[in-house]
Amino acid sequence: MQRALTLGLAAHSALALLAACDSQSASVDVLTVWSSEEQDSFRAVVAPFERQTQIKVQVVSTRDQDTLLTTLLRANTPPGVAILPNPGGMQQLAAQGKLLPLDSFLDMEMVKRDYSRTWIDLGSYKGALYALFYKAANKGIIWYNPRQLQALGLSVPHTWDELIAVSNAIAAQGRYPWAIGVESAASSGWPAADWIAELYLKEWGPEMYQRWVNHTIAWTDPTIKQTFRRFGSIVTGKHYIPNAPTSILLTNFQDASYAPFEQPPRAYFYYSGDFVLGFVTSRFPTIVPGEEINFFPFPEINPRYAGAVTGGADAVVALQDTAEVRALVQYLASAQAQEIWVRRGGFTSVNKSISLSAYPNPVARASAQMLSQAPFFCFGAGDLMPPVVQHAFWKGMLAFIQEPDQLDTILKSIEAVAQRSYPA
């Protein structure tokens, strides 16, 4: 193959290996959890790579990634690349020897220039880099329509008490303040787990948060009970969510995000990550970011932890050692490749070489800036736990939404799973 890779592929060594490949049949399977707008954007990212290398990128999307990936690994037919939604899964696969060390072929000087030590450490296991954190999410924000809130004569809340007061004021006018949907196929429950993580960090701080994640406190700890009850004040709030709890359990998380931006609005607030901007602008192409869709930081609970933010990031890992896989990972690591999705919207990059000016609107820029300047940042709690505990967490959230008075039983059930899953 005599093609030159542009867009900063940094793939000279991979090209040498690719010269021996049949360019007509070269391909890489990529396993993701992305669908709809996210999958469309990822296909736009890899399109230049496919044109320039003649390597076909086969995208396989599933909401039950853990099960499918386990099945493929047992059959010894892993995908070339997987994009994992949590570092806990990466650590487990690296410990099992299933992943290719990325520092064996990436330009680590470029990686160290473009990625902070925090992200490199999160992607490492026993000193080797196994994951490249690719698509970040700021989960410390609440979405709303500024025009609709102003029409009610209400202001953005800055504290938890103010948030409850504003929610009650909206409900008093016969309107519903909140949209929540937790349906996500085999991953149902994760949107509610994100609520718990953000609330816990805001009230108890990063040190206690880490103790929770590491299971050095039990799930039955009073701090965790208090956080669940705080979330319960939203899901059981009087006139807060129509047809709750059934509607919460049956509504897909993406569908729920549209409610504040419909005409007339079916709700006024929606909590989720900054990827919601991509969902909403795709659904309502004429919506004006900053005027008809915006966010405010998740309100303060404990002043000591003002500005604390939870978030997530999808991590690129390699499960096959082929020239095609190496070339694709090198491409995805580049700022130029990531900027394609940044400009499309619904994507926050942790690559420091991407300028804030690349973000397509002031809302996307503000979220990226907030994420980079947060005084406390913690990865989503469930994503740091062993996968079996994360799934128990998700199921526990579904049970709590349906029967909040069974909180003690629910937390004891999650605790039993955690005791079996963490090392002694």
Side-chain angles (χ1 to χ4, degrees):
M1 184 181 297
Q2 299 299 319
R3 297 176 181 273
L5 288 178
T6 58
L7 288 174
L9 290 183
H12 303 300
S13 59
L15 277 175
L17 292 172
L18 283 171
C21 296
D22 177 359
S23 64
Q24 298 305 309
S25 60
S27 66
V28 180
D29 290 336
V30 178
L31 181 64
T32 81
V33 296
W34 297 329
S35 60
S36 59
E37 290 85 2
E38 290 181 302
Q39 187 174 139
D40 291 343
S41 290
F42 182 66
R43 291 186 185 280
V45 169
V46 299
F49 172 83
E50 291 179 312
R51 289 195 300 268
Q52 294 154 9
T53 65
Q54 298 300 301
I55 300 171
K56 178 66 177 175
V57 178
Q58 307 277 6
V59 180
V60 180
S61 177
T62 174
R63 274 289 165 191
D64 194 6
Q65 190 185 66
D66 288 343
T67 299
L68 180 56
L69 186 54
T70 298
T71 300
L72 293 172
L73 287 168
R74 285 176 178 168
N76 200 28
T77 57
V81 170
I83 301 180
L84 306 178
N86 64 75
M90 179 278 293
Q91 293 280 335
Q92 189 173 66
L93 290 171
Q96 295 169 355
K98 302 296 186 183
L99 302 182
L100 176 66
L102 304 186
D103 48 13
S104 66
F105 63 90
L106 285 181
D107 179 351
M108 289 306 295
E109 290 303 314
M110 182 192 76
V111 170
K112 291 175 183 177
R113 183 188 70 236
D114 288 349
Y115 298 88
S116 71
R117 186 78 248 169
T118 297
W119 293 106
I120 293 173
D121 288 346
L122 272 173
S124 298
Y125 176 77
K126 291 189 174 180
L129 182 69
Y130 286 95
L132 182 79
F133 283 94
Y134 179 70
K135 180 179 183 290
N138 176 357
K139 294 185 177 181
I141 54 183
I142 293 176
W143 293 97
Y144 76 114
N145 183 331
R147 289 182 179 173
Q148 295 294 346
L149 195 63
Q150 290 164 8
L152 298 182
L154 299 172
S155 301
V156 165
H158 300 287
T159 67
W160 179 260
D161 288 345
E162 290 176 2
L163 180 67
I164 296 300
V166 171
S167 299
N168 289 338
I170 294 171
Q173 297 187 36
R175 304 168 190 269
Y176 293 103
W178 286 96
I180 301 180
V182 300
E183 191 280 321
S184 185
S187 302
S188 294
W190 71 259
D194 281 356
W195 267 93
I196 298 297
E198 183 71 17
L199 287 167
Y200 195 91
L201 178 62
K202 289 286 191 182
E203 184 162 10
W204 307 107
E207 184 176 337
M208 283 296 293
Y209 188 96
Q210 200 60 46
R211 291 185 64 193
W212 170 39
V213 165
N214 292 338
H215 196 229
T216 59
I217 59 171
W219 278 83
T220 52
D221 188 88
T223 62
I224 296 175
K225 290 184 181 181
Q226 168 64 17
T227 299
F228 268 75
R229 292 191 184 105
R230 193 179 290 277
F231 174 58
S233 68
I234 297 292
V235 295
T236 65
K238 186 176 181 181
H239 204 83
Y240 272 21
I241 303 163
N243 302 314
T246 303
S247 64
I248 299 173
L249 296 169
L250 296 182
T251 302
N252 179 266
F253 73 98
Q254 183 170 335
D255 293 339
S257 73
Y258 303 140
F261 309 104
E262 295 176 347
Q263 298 294 336
R266 289 188 293 112
Y268 287 80
F269 299 140
Y270 179 72
Y271 166 73
S272 193
D274 54 9
F275 44 80
V276 165
L277 184 61
F279 297 161
V280 174
T281 54
S282 294
R283 179 64 174 262
F284 307 106
T286 61
I287 199 167
V288 181
E291 297 180 17
E292 298 169 304
I293 178 172
N294 208 339
F295 68 83
F296 55 88
F298 199 99
E300 175 186 302
I301 299 176
N302 185 332
R304 291 178 59 191
Y305 310 117
V309 172
T310 61
D314 295 322
V316 176
V317 300
L319 294 103
Q320 292 184 22
D321 188 3
T322 68
E324 294 88 350
V325 166
R326 290 179 177 227
L328 178 60
V329 172
Q330 287 167 329
Y331 172 72
L332 293 176
S334 70
Q336 294 90 336
Q338 293 176 31
E339 194 170 303
I340 295 172
W341 198 338
V342 166
R343 293 188 179 279
R344 287 172 63 93
F347 184 96
T348 301
S349 174
V350 298
N351 191 312
K352 294 186 292 185
S353 292
I354 295 179
S355 169
L356 286 174
S357 64
Y359 289 86
N361 57 64
V363 177
R365 283 193 292 276
S367 178
Q369 190 168 25
M370 178 181 165
L371 195 62
S372 66
Q373 296 178 353
F376 304 104
F377 173 82
C378 289
F379 216 96
D383 292 339
L384 295 172
M385 297 171 183
V388 67
V389 179
Q390 182 183 49
H391 282 276
F393 186 10
W394 293 346
K395 289 180 180 178
M397 296 311 306
L398 301 178
F400 177 72
I401 291 167
Q402 190 164 18
E403 296 183 286
D405 58 341
Q406 295 298 309
L407 177 59
D408 287 346
T409 300
I410 292 165
L411 292 180
K412 287 177 182 177
S413 177
I414 303 173
E415 174 62 17
V417 175
Q419 287 184 5
R420 296 192 301 267
S421 306
Y422 283 84

